[in-house]
Amino acid sequence: MPKVNVKVEFTTNATNRFLSHSHGKITLDAQGKGSFKVEAGDWDVLLCGVRGPSGSTAKITLGVDVPYQLVISGHPIHGQVAQGKQVWGTSRFFRVLKKGD
Amino acid sequence: MRAPNANLLVALMAILFAFNGSATADETQSFYQQKCRSLLHSAGEALRVQGGTLGPATLEDEEDPEIFAQQRLRSPLGASDVATPLRTEASFSAGSENGRAYLSLTNKTDTMSDRVFAIKISVPFDKDKGEGVFASRAGVSGDIVFSASTSKYLWNLNTSAYADKLCQICEKNRISPEDCYPESSVLANLQIPTGSREDLADNLFGTVAAIGWGLEGEAARKKREYFDTAAAKNDEDRIAASVSGVMALHLRSASIFAKLTAKRDYKEMDKAQRCSPIEDTMGLESCKQLPLGRAKEVEGLVASLQDVQELGDFAVAPTVQYDFDETDWTVLLPIYVIWQPADKKADDSPRQWIGGLKLAWASGENDEFGAAIFISTPLKW
């Protein structure tokens, strides 16, 4: 199966953030943008979260180029640090399929 | 008409998803038996090895020096605000702040780098000329501060417990993998005991969600003029220095900062006045005041422990400090009730705590209890 490039954008007003998938940490640039590769058809997971004062928000968006499509729910991922907490985190299982497969 | 039960709903959704690239029932079963836990575990391990990000590893440093005698606890100049990040791997920046011009170099790629190393040099900024002179033909500026800091931040995710709980619930209820996440509406429709979904997300973090540590060092040379005992004007520029080690434990709902600072500074002596007659005048004198004698060397070793947390509509940052040289304690209890949005243009900006009431007690020569209303720099997390 071919490797597919997945683009990701992580915007947040929190103090710290993390983002990884099953093959490693995803490095982001100053604008919170980055990319990683997954094998088409294979399941992968995105692990993401932030630390900051309550009310801090996060938004994580994934994208792939045609002819591929993402199979993911609850996307874009939105998160917020709850009242009285300093951290928020979640995960998403997803995979990339070729359109028509 | 009776409402369909949860299992029927899940089965219907599985059929619908099958036409949308979603997993079949067999794929789902195989996923939970073979992949669910290992994928999450691998993603968590990646962060454990490669780290996350670090915010400012510093103690709150707003001051009420006259009341609480905190001045002795602070570095000659704060080393925590080293370098403004730019958008390159190693960025170089220049500017002015707090009356000083600075040049800084940092390896921060953005405000959330996991490892930060920064150096900064600053000199007084001449507002009239719009410049700060670092060096001239006469040599390096007499009043110059060099600071360096490095810090590291590591998340402490508990992906094993998180994976066990999440995968177990999803497998038991035959939830398609892409719908298997804490906030999923499919999970929300299941009869999961109250609080369990919140626990599910909380399980992602250990009791200590992240740790950070850092080192800050600073050397400051300043020209100091004084009168010697023969009333002659002299000057000297001995170098003041400080080194701090910082450790931060970020819990799920609070942050604890520990800091140890060793410093050598110079305290100017009491001032004396020398007067001399002004030529071509009758009895008029020109007088100059300077410290009498060289500045006194002051060494210090101070340990601090601070807890920062929000409690609904207020935040607290109790701090205990111990000065090993003076053998005295300072206890501070700032209660923040005044806040502003961290980003005034954004509607969803988190609160930035900036002021409130501060209670303090200092032992030793400064033995006193005080209370004050304060407005300070934003509380740091």
Side-chain angles (χ1 to χ4, degrees):
Chain A
M1 283 290 194
K3 292 251 184 184
V4 180
N5 194 49
V6 180
K7 286 177 272 188
V8 60
E9 183 171 1
F10 193 147
T11 54
T12 180
N13 51 19
T15 311
N16 307 112
R17 68 181 165 213
F18 66 84
L19 183 66
S20 69
H21 72 131
S22 63
H23 294 290
K25 181 188 167 191
I26 300 166
T27 304
L28 302 168
D29 66 14
Q31 289 79 44
K33 292 180 179 175
S35 65
F36 59 101
K37 290 190 184 301
V38 297
E39 204 148 309
D42 274 3
W43 284 105
D44 200 344
V45 69
L46 202 71
L47 203 57
C48 54
V50 296
R51 186 188 70 80
S54 60
S56 301
T57 56
K59 181 184 175 187
I60 300 101
T61 310
L62 302 180
V64 290
D65 291 333
V66 289
Y68 295 97
Q69 65 174 351
L70 273 168
V71 179
I72 187 170
S73 287
H75 180 258
I77 302 168
H78 288 276
Q80 186 167 36
V81 177
Q83 187 75 36
K85 296 278 177 73
Q86 290 194 8
V87 288
W88 165 85
T90 191
S91 62
R92 288 290 187 284
F93 294 109
F94 70 96
R95 57 183 173 170
V96 175
L97 297 177
K98 201 167 186 177
K99 280 182 179 169
D101 283 357
Chain B
M1 185 178 163
R2 287 178 59 193
N5 64 36
N7 287 340
L8 184 58
L9 270 176
V10 172
L12 282 170
M13 291 175 87
I15 292 166
L16 285 171
F17 289 147
F19 294 101
N20 192 29
S22 292
T24 62
D26 283 348
E27 281 177 328
T28 297
Q29 191 178 8
S30 158
F31 174 84
Y32 288 116
Q33 287 173 359
Q34 297 172 16
K35 292 185 176 173
C36 187
R37 289 169 180 80
S38 64
L39 285 174
L40 283 165
H41 182 71
S42 299
E45 281 303 302
L47 289 166
R48 194 182 301 277
V49 174
Q50 297 174 43
T53 61
L54 175 62
T58 178
L59 294 174
E60 169 202 21
D61 64 354
E62 87 284 348
E63 65 279 341
D64 278 312
E66 291 178 8
I67 300 175
F68 304 128
Q70 280 194 71
Q71 194 66 37
R72 66 184 187 281
L73 304 175
R74 302 169 62 217
S75 302
L77 284 171
S80 303
D81 57 345
V82 171
T84 304
L86 294 182
R87 294 174 180 176
T88 53
E89 183 63 34
S91 65
F92 182 72
S93 63
S96 68
E97 60 187 14
N98 302 326
R100 298 185 70 84
Y102 66 85
L103 293 170
S104 72
L105 179 69
T106 176
N107 73 338
K108 269 172 140 182
T109 51
D110 62 19
T111 54
M112 298 192 172
S113 291
D114 55 350
R115 289 186 209 102
V116 178
F117 175 74
I119 55 175
K120 182 177 182 179
I121 302 170
S122 72
V123 294
F125 182 69
D126 186 331
K127 277 186 181 174
D128 294 333
K129 292 182 180 174
E131 65 181 19
V133 179
F134 286 84
S136 65
R137 277 185 293 182
V140 178
S141 172
D143 181 346
I144 191 163
V145 177
F146 174 82
S147 59
S149 67
T150 182
S151 56
K152 172 93 173 126
Y153 185 95
L154 270 178
W155 288 93
N156 181 37
L157 299 187
N158 190 11
T159 38
S160 293
Y162 175 77
D164 281 345
K165 202 159 188 176
L166 181 69
C167 297
Q168 189 183 33
I169 290 172
C170 294
E171 182 178 13
K172 186 180 170 188
N173 293 282
R174 296 174 189 171
I175 293 170
S176 184
E178 61 265 38
D179 287 314
C180 183
Y181 57 94
E183 318 91 274
S184 165
S185 56
V186 179
L187 256 70
N189 288 329
L190 299 175
Q191 299 299 316
I192 298 174
T194 309
S196 285
R197 287 181 68 229
E198 290 78 10
D199 291 347
L200 197 56
D202 265 358
N203 276 337
L204 183 54
F205 301 97
T207 306
V208 176
I211 58 172
W213 61 91
L215 276 175
E216 300 173 356
E218 188 172 85
R221 188 178 72 182
K222 184 183 176 185
K223 188 177 175 184
R224 301 178 199 86
E225 293 184 329
Y226 64 94
F227 287 134
D228 60 21
T229 47
K233 188 176 138 188
N234 269 312
D235 63 63
E236 51 106 356
D237 59 359
R238 284 173 293 168
I239 295 171
S242 70
V243 178
S244 298
V246 182
M247 178 84 183
L249 297 179
H250 301 296
L251 314 182
R252 292 177 194 171
S253 56
S255 286
I256 296 167
F257 298 96
K259 185 173 187 177
L260 184 65
T261 300
K263 70 175 209 175
R264 186 186 64 206
D265 205 351
Y266 296 95
K267 185 183 175 187
E268 293 196 333
M269 308 298 281
D270 291 338
K271 286 189 173 173
Q273 182 170 280
R274 185 186 70 183
C275 297
S276 49
I278 300 174
E279 283 182 28
D280 302 327
T281 64
M282 292 289 289
L284 293 179
E285 290 183 322
S286 163
C287 296
K288 187 174 181 66
Q289 283 194 337
L290 285 175
L292 178 58
R294 275 164 46 112
K296 182 183 169 189
E297 187 175 294
V298 180
E299 290 188 339
L301 181 64
V302 178
S304 310
L305 192 65
Q306 182 183 47
D307 168 51
V308 177
Q309 63 185 110
E310 280 183 309
L311 300 167
D313 288 329
F314 63 97
V316 293
T319 306
V320 178
Q321 296 167 326
Y322 182 71
D323 187 323
F324 289 90
D325 291 282
E326 304 287 335
T327 63
D328 60 14
W329 294 85
T330 303
V331 180
L332 305 169
L333 179 58
I335 303 165
Y336 290 79
V337 293
I338 303 167
W339 59 272
Q340 63 185 19
D343 180 357
K344 287 169 185 165
K345 292 176 186 169
D347 293 335
D348 61 351
S349 178
R351 291 175 179 181
Q352 199 172 51
W353 298 96
I354 56 166
L357 174 70
K358 183 190 283 183
L359 306 175
W361 170 77
S363 69
E365 286 180 17
N366 302 302
D367 191 356
E368 60 183 323
F369 177 81
I373 293 169
F374 71 97
I375 297 287
S376 72
T377 51
L379 181 61
K380 291 169 181 170
W381 299 84

